[in-house]
Amino acid sequence: MRLIVIGFGVVAQSFAKLLLSRSAELYSEHGIKPRIVACVDKGGCAISPAGLNLQRLLEAKKSKGTVAFYDKAGSKFDPMQIIENVDAEVVLEATPTNLEGGEPGMTHIISAMRTGKNIISVNKGPLALAFPSLMELANYNGVMFRFSGTVGGGTPILEFAKRCLKGDRITSFRGILNGTTNYILSKMEEGLTYDSALDDAKQKGYAEAIPSLDTDGYDAAAKLVIMANWIMGMKVTMKDVDRRGISDVKLSDVKKAKQNNSAIKLIAACNNKRLDVKPTEVPKIDPICVNGTLNAVSFSSEHSGQQTIIGRGAGGIETASAILRDLIEIRDHVFEHSN
Ligand code: HSE
């Protein structure tokens, strides 16, 4: 399978490393031989119809800061030219999330769909702002659109609900969808101030490039929108979320909750009608009351009751594993429909 990679930050680089380390197994177990035929970042691009040498690509990025130094050609095509003109089965959209307009990811995704290419997005922006119309466009163009890595990092929250709970009807769900705020709240419980806990989260690389996306609840709201559309079949976008972040949570609130055997968590909830993100006191015995950067979601289903999935919600290699999951699914679908 030929892939075009747009954006070569931590997640896309981790994906390239994953392909390097697991290529033999991917072929023997899944019959899949992914080749990155083009890779674009802010500095330029690298193209090879036979497949880029991933070691060399990673070295160019590490030593020169851009994939444009992959070879002497130092190509200067823009992402749109590449999406439209390079032959590939899949486009990986891995540019940073922008929740104001969704660009440049939105245009990349739309143009990939229009040129008949399947999409894997780890960029939450376009989905949070235009999920219903993007899904319609994917169906209209007969392409697959997958985005496992947008919710829960490597933890298969979307698949758990969509596939494992297929035979049931999910009536509501609630949980922790943002690792940074959960880390900050957990550290505050240990006595750290809000500001020093946030600095710590930034240093550890959990926080978004603009940390207010985490602390004001935008990131959790974006993930909630993706889940509500994909799992509950709602047609909603960011503007439908009633959102409040954690910046007003005081150390004294956290301490008080602790005395009640509870903890304050940034809870995202959907009950099929309403979408809310807000700081909430959660009893310690509730399975979603997890600490650190963990994510946790409890689904309530009509027949099987409550089910909870917990796992690491962020990180390069974790999210790269979700990309691989999407790629295998696309490959299986393409194979099924070509026989
Ligand atoms: N900033 C996000 C978080 C990264 O803290 O959960 C993963 O989407």
Side-chain angles (χ1 to χ4, degrees):
M1 283 193 111
R2 294 166 299 178
L3 279 100
I4 295 172
V5 175
I6 310 289
F8 204 50
V10 175
V11 170
Q13 288 175 57
S14 300
F15 175 62
K17 287 176 195 161
L18 206 56
L19 290 186
L20 270 175
S21 65
R22 291 185 49 194
S23 65
E25 174 209 330
L26 282 174
Y27 189 63
S28 63
E29 287 191 11
H30 301 281
I32 188 172
K33 216 173 189 171
R35 279 181 288 151
I36 298 182
V37 291
C39 181
V40 197
D41 65 14
K42 275 190 191 151
C45 67
I47 305 177
S48 167
L52 294 164
N53 176 319
L54 298 183
Q55 197 71 56
R56 186 138 63 98
L57 189 73
L58 288 160
E59 271 162 25
K61 182 75 181 180
K62 193 173 171 193
S63 61
K64 308 275 189 184
T66 169
V67 298
F69 286 89
Y70 174 80
D71 56 22
K72 285 198 186 93
S75 306
K76 262 290 171 199
F77 296 108
D78 73 21
M80 296 303 288
Q81 284 172 303
I82 293 188
I83 292 169
E84 282 164 15
N85 299 310
V86 173
D87 286 332
E89 283 72 43
V90 179
V91 171
L92 168 62
E93 214 311 306
T95 62
T97 293
N98 164 13
L99 291 172
E100 284 175 18
E103 297 295 359
M106 186 80 86
T107 305
H108 298 157
I109 291 176
I110 292 172
S111 107
M113 286 178 180
R114 289 203 170 126
T115 52
K117 294 177 173 87
N118 301 293
I119 312 284
I120 298 172
S121 181
V122 283
N123 177 351
K124 290 161 268 193
L127 287 130
L129 298 170
F131 192 108
S133 47
L134 288 176
M135 205 39 95
E136 215 169 282
L137 193 64
N139 292 338
Y140 178 80
N141 287 286
V143 296
M144 283 186 83
F145 182 29
R146 288 294 179 269
F147 34 82
S148 290
T150 58
V151 180
T155 309
I157 295 177
L158 295 175
E159 289 76 8
F160 177 72
K162 188 85 175 170
R163 214 163 300 147
C164 303
L165 296 176
K166 211 178 202 166
D168 211 326
R169 200 169 70 85
I170 298 169
T171 49
S172 65
F173 63 86
R174 63 198 276 277
I176 295 169
L177 299 176
N178 181 267
T180 300
T181 48
N182 205 40
Y183 182 81
I184 294 171
L185 293 170
S186 305
K187 284 287 165 193
M188 282 171 78
E189 211 181 308
E190 289 170 20
L192 243 68
T193 63
Y194 179 95
D195 288 334
S196 52
L198 175 57
D199 283 346
D200 206 5
K202 279 191 215 162
Q203 265 173 23
K204 292 202 159 68
Y206 304 137
E208 296 290 310
I210 306 167
S212 60
L213 288 180
D214 295 302
T215 53
D216 289 342
Y218 290 102
D219 179 73
K223 292 165 179 165
L224 182 64
V225 165
I226 295 169
M227 292 178 73
N229 277 279
W230 187 236
I231 297 165
M232 309 293 270
M234 293 169 79
K235 294 207 183 311
V236 286
T237 62
M238 282 296 273
K239 63 178 168 28
D240 298 301
V241 182
D242 199 350
R243 174 193 50 78
R244 187 152 56 86
I246 62 160
S247 43
D248 291 339
V249 176
K250 295 185 218 64
L251 208 49
S252 55
D253 301 328
V254 173
K255 279 186 184 152
K256 210 169 127 202
K258 197 176 175 183
Q259 280 162 9
N260 294 338
N261 270 330
S262 301
I264 296 185
K265 299 290 179 189
L266 185 67
I267 297 297
C270 166
N271 69 359
N272 224 342
K273 287 190 192 79
R274 278 186 62 85
L275 301 177
D276 289 288
V277 170
K278 59 177 183 242
T280 309
E281 195 168 318
V282 179
K284 293 256 182 193
I285 52 161
D286 190 320
I288 61 167
C289 196
V290 293
N291 285 331
T293 54
L294 286 177
N295 283 192
V297 183
S298 273
F299 294 95
S300 296
S301 313
E302 202 168 286
H303 308 298
S304 52
Q306 191 179 316
Q307 323 256 354
T308 303
I309 178 163
I310 298 171
R312 286 189 220 159
I317 201 68
E318 290 85 349
T319 311
S321 76
I323 298 174
L324 207 47
R325 194 187 311 139
D326 286 346
L327 190 66
I328 293 168
E329 199 192 333
I330 290 176
R331 188 256 171 215
D332 288 348
H333 179 89
V334 170
F335 186 75
E336 219 171 83
H337 287 80
S338 63
N339 282 297

